[in-house]
């Protein structure tokens, strides 16, 4: 039971660190464009690369 004296503050500290990281990510705009990455996957950017590497 004396282990709880150490584990509870450590758990609270880690929880506060996670909350701080989440709030920082909100303020820095990490969640502004949630659909942009999903749409970028659908577009094929390899066509430009193929034209640049054509022999001749």
């Amino acid at each position: 039971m004396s282990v709880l004296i150490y584990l509870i503050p450590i758990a609270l500290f880690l929880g506060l660190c996670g909350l701080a990281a989440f709030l920082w990510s909100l303020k820095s705009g990490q969640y502004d464009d949630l659909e942009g990455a999903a749409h970028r996957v659908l577009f094929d950017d390899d066509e430009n690369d193929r034209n640049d590497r054509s022999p001749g």
Side-chain angles (χ1 to χ4, degrees), residues 32-46:
D32 286 347
D33 185 18
L34 293 177
E35 303 215 0
H39 293 286
R40 272 193 301 271
V41 170
L42 300 175
F43 297 115
D44 189 19
D45 291 338
D46 291 339

Side-chain angles (χ1 to χ4, degrees), residues 13-55:
F13 175 73
L14 290 175
L16 287 175
C17 286
L19 180 64
F22 175 70
L23 292 176
W24 171 80
S25 68
L26 282 178
K27 287 184 181 182
S28 67
Q30 293 291 320
Y31 300 106
D32 286 347
D33 185 18
L34 293 177
E35 303 215 0
H39 293 286
R40 272 193 301 271
V41 170
L42 300 175
F43 297 115
D44 189 19
D45 291 338
D46 291 339
E47 291 179 16
N48 293 336
D49 292 338
R50 284 187 215 137
N51 293 336
D52 293 341
R53 286 189 245 150
S54 61

